[in-house]
Amino acid sequence: METYYKLDQLARFGEIAEGNKALADAFFSYYGKVFEDGALTAREKSLIALAVAHTIQCPYCIDAYTSDSLQKGADLEQMTEAVHVATAIRGGASLVHGIQMLDQVREKMM
Amino acid sequence: MSQDTQPLVSLPIIDNGGDGAMVDVEGPRAATSMRYRRAPLATPEEQFRVLNRVEISVGPTRTGSFEADLEAAGWPVLQPAQLDIFQINVGKLCNMTCRHCHVDSGPDRVDENMDRETVEACLRAIDLSGAKIVDLTGGAPELNPHFEYLVDACVQRGLHVMDRCNLTILTTRRYQHLPQWFAERGVEVICSLPHYRKLNTDAQRGKGTYEKSLEALRALNEAGYGKGDPRLQLTLVTNPVGAYLAGNQASLEAEWKAALARNHGVYFDKLLALNNMPMSRYLEWLEQKGQTAHYLSELVQAFNPGTIAGLMCRNTLSVSWDGYLYDCDFNQQLDMKMDLPAGLRPHVRDFDLTAWQQHIVRTERHCYGCTAGAGSGCGGAIA
């Protein structure tokens, strides 16, 4: 394998059924239902997916949910805010561990 | 999503139907017309060449032949059903110049406007056609000097009239009376608003469009439109502001309604989500972005046989400013005149309902725009 990520792989996602069709069918059926309009709108769900995609830094997901967010009626300003939500949580997750550091420092230092 | 800093411009003065009145009409512009720039892509031949050179390996027959894919879906010939809608493109003149316009409309297109004689010929053909709906489009149809005469003549015949309105025209001095005028006649107003927020709306239609559109929507609301009265229907139309397919119409309608009500106290009845046809200025934009092949493939891949029965070419007839007949407004802009049996001239003066019923609809690759996904027509999603 020359590279780990290939452009055509996202479009070929369905081929994952080759090894186990029942599980793939169950997954894609569940996946489709998750993103339907519900208590959250399809656009809101797509923006959450876009934020998660940036958190897990999945290039397939970023590609897919950039298009999907636009198609579901989001614009660049909304999408950028979603990415900042991911960024804030991710940064905050590091920073809040600083309290662990701080407590330990207080224990050990005069 | 390139930003265009071109300022608002005044429309060249319009001759107002011989009564001597002259008007300046302002409008936002996101582009200039291809014809004005003498762009090669302004000709149908060049548009077909650009579309047909794309290699297609998806869709029912994997050929990218619309006819072959229709046949594979069980439609060896595409023929009309019942003539419900008589659509008239009264002219290419527009106060705006949107980036995606399939008509290549703009303020420079002053010459291609329907004259009174052709309007009268349309009315005679409407009487023969049995159509109950008259759909007026353009350009900005309101800029045609015979627009109000035509609307009144149709309303007097008891027909349902639809005006495909760009909204901003309703904010100009000469046309501010129209919301009330429409309301008095029960004209359905079908307005372009690509997005419920400013960024995408102005990117597609030109700076300042969003604010003017809201102003026009408020005027329509004040005239009684958009509040659920079946006589005063306010319909919005959204086209994708980029190289992707229209989203789910019902889902988008709920988003648009909630956002416009919450943010602006503006109301409407219905949202139509239409695909962009790969032609004219939208095709030019695709070419500039290097997205033509990708977009066309996406349309073909999304070919949905369930849309064919409801295609607008099966219940709609399209007349151009100079009276010629077409299967739809897209074919009209690609100069694909209606192919009538026995060599009958496809002109509104020679309209014959039986000939229309027997004719075969002309198709090319742009037609994949109407059959993709949930389908797309002047009446919105199909399937």
Side-chain angles (χ1 to χ4, degrees):
Chain A
M1 197 178 275
E2 287 167 14
T3 57
Y4 286 110
Y5 287 112
K6 287 188 178 165
L7 206 56
D8 68 328
Q9 288 177 335
L10 176 59
R12 291 170 37 224
F13 195 5
E15 291 177 21
I16 202 71
E18 192 172 311
N20 189 320
K21 186 167 186 311
L23 285 179
D25 288 349
F27 173 80
F28 288 119
S29 161
Y30 162 81
Y31 194 99
K33 283 204 184 344
V34 164
F35 284 96
E36 286 173 3
D37 274 317
L40 294 172
T41 69
R43 178 185 60 89
E44 288 163 341
K45 289 178 181 182
S46 191
L47 288 171
I48 293 170
L50 184 70
V52 173
H54 282 78
T55 307
I56 57 178
Q57 289 178 262
C58 165
Y60 302 117
C61 311
I62 292 171
D63 190 343
Y65 284 93
T66 296
S67 299
D68 191 68
S69 292
L70 290 171
Q71 195 173 12
K72 297 279 164 65
D75 66 10
L76 176 67
E77 290 169 348
Q78 295 174 340
M79 291 158 68
T80 305
E81 286 184 20
V83 172
H84 277 293
V85 170
T87 305
I89 293 293
R90 220 176 156 149
S94 288
L95 197 57
V96 73
H97 283 78
I99 303 303
Q100 193 181 336
M101 175 270 298
L102 181 65
D103 284 351
Q104 207 174 329
V105 167
R106 281 176 180 164
E107 285 292 313
K108 286 185 174 163
M109 302 295 288
M110 286 176 203
Chain B
M1 206 181 293
S2 60
Q3 293 296 313
D4 197 312
T5 54
Q6 190 170 359
L8 305 189
V9 294
S10 286
L11 184 72
I13 286 167
I14 300 164
D15 178 7
N16 193 24
D19 69 1
M22 307 293 260
V23 287
D24 274 325
V25 181
E26 277 210 328
R29 304 182 68 178
T32 50
S33 85
M34 292 198 295
R35 201 189 68 156
Y36 180 73
R37 283 181 274 116
R38 300 177 196 280
L41 205 55
T43 67
E45 297 73 30
E46 181 63 9
Q47 294 177 46
F48 288 133
R49 195 185 69 77
V50 165
L51 275 186
N52 288 331
R53 74 182 172 194
V54 176
E55 282 189 32
I56 296 290
S57 57
V58 291
T61 62
R62 299 178 181 272
T63 58
S65 158
F66 190 75
E67 269 185 24
D69 284 346
L70 274 184
E71 187 160 2
W75 293 77
V77 286
L78 188 60
Q79 285 199 286
Q82 184 186 313
L83 186 54
D84 296 322
I85 304 169
F86 198 99
Q87 187 178 63
I88 308 173
N89 189 319
V90 295
K92 297 179 197 288
L93 183 62
C94 192
N95 59 316
M96 301 179 73
T97 320
C98 300
R99 201 173 290 280
H100 70 308
C101 182
H102 74 273
V103 182
D104 197 27
S105 286
D108 57 300
R109 307 206 68 164
V110 287
D111 301 326
E112 297 142 299
N113 240 336
M114 186 174 280
D115 61 22
R116 180 64 174 261
E117 272 191 309
T118 311
V119 167
E120 298 293 351
C122 283
L123 290 169
R124 286 193 297 274
I126 288 168
D127 291 338
L128 296 170
S129 74
K132 295 285 181 277
I133 299 170
V134 176
D135 182 340
L136 301 178
T137 188
E142 303 86 354
L143 288 173
N144 183 293
H146 313 293
F147 174 76
E148 292 186 15
Y149 170 79
L150 176 56
V151 172
D152 265 333
C154 294
V155 168
Q156 280 159 18
R157 285 165 161 78
L159 302 167
H160 179 74
V161 179
M162 304 194 295
D163 175 47
R164 295 195 182 263
C165 177
N166 70 20
L167 283 175
T168 70
I169 194 72
L170 303 180
T171 67
T172 61
R173 197 165 47 84
R174 171 72 172 77
Y175 300 97
Q176 281 173 358
H177 66 291
L178 281 178
Q180 190 58 44
W181 191 88
F182 285 146
E184 286 159 9
R185 287 155 183 81
V187 173
E188 180 179 358
V189 186
I190 303 185
C191 307
S192 302
L193 189 73
H195 202 257
Y196 59 85
R197 300 187 73 246
K198 183 177 175 179
L199 185 67
N200 287 4
T201 301
D202 285 5
Q204 183 188 81
R205 302 178 69 76
K207 275 194 175 178
T209 299
Y210 187 70
E211 292 303 329
K212 284 174 187 287
S213 299
L214 286 176
E215 188 186 329
L217 287 170
R218 284 191 196 100
L220 286 163
N221 281 169
E222 272 169 34
Y225 278 96
K227 295 171 179 172
D229 181 346
R231 214 185 135 266
L232 300 176
Q233 284 291 295
L234 176 54
T235 302
L236 297 188
V237 177
T238 172
N239 291 78
V241 188
Y244 51 94
L245 303 188
N248 178 281
Q249 184 167 284
S251 179
L252 295 182
E253 179 179 298
E255 292 280 4
W256 261 237
K257 278 188 173 169
L260 286 174
R262 186 179 63 236
N263 299 331
H264 304 289
V266 160
Y267 303 91
F268 67 96
D269 295 297
K270 193 166 63 175
L271 180 78
L272 310 181
L274 309 185
N275 290 330
N276 288 308
M277 296 301 127
M279 56 181 283
S280 196
R281 287 214 291 271
Y282 182 71
L283 181 59
E284 182 183 46
W285 177 83
L286 288 172
E287 282 287 282
Q288 284 164 0
K289 291 281 182 179
Q291 292 275 351
T292 306
H294 171 79
Y295 185 71
L296 187 61
S297 291
E298 203 168 331
L299 290 178
V300 179
Q301 185 145 32
F303 180 82
N304 177 2
T307 62
I308 299 169
L311 287 176
M312 63 179 172
C313 48
R314 301 194 65 236
N315 71 353
T316 303
L317 171 153
S318 157
V319 187
S320 60
W321 65 275
D322 51 357
Y324 282 94
L325 304 180
Y326 302 83
D327 291 312
C328 70
D329 198 51
F330 304 117
N331 281 11
Q332 180 181 139
Q333 309 315 326
L334 290 165
D335 200 23
M336 293 166 62
K337 290 190 176 68
M338 197 180 276
D339 188 11
L340 292 170
L344 184 64
R345 186 174 76 124
H347 196 276
V348 70
R349 288 178 209 286
D350 302 338
F351 175 75
D352 181 275
L353 182 61
T354 310
W356 179 82
Q357 285 160 340
Q358 291 168 353
H359 91 288
I360 293 170
V361 173
R362 291 182 66 184
T363 61
E364 286 288 345
R365 274 192 162 176
H366 65 288
C367 300
Y368 283 112
C370 286
T371 53
S376 205
C378 285
I382 300 167

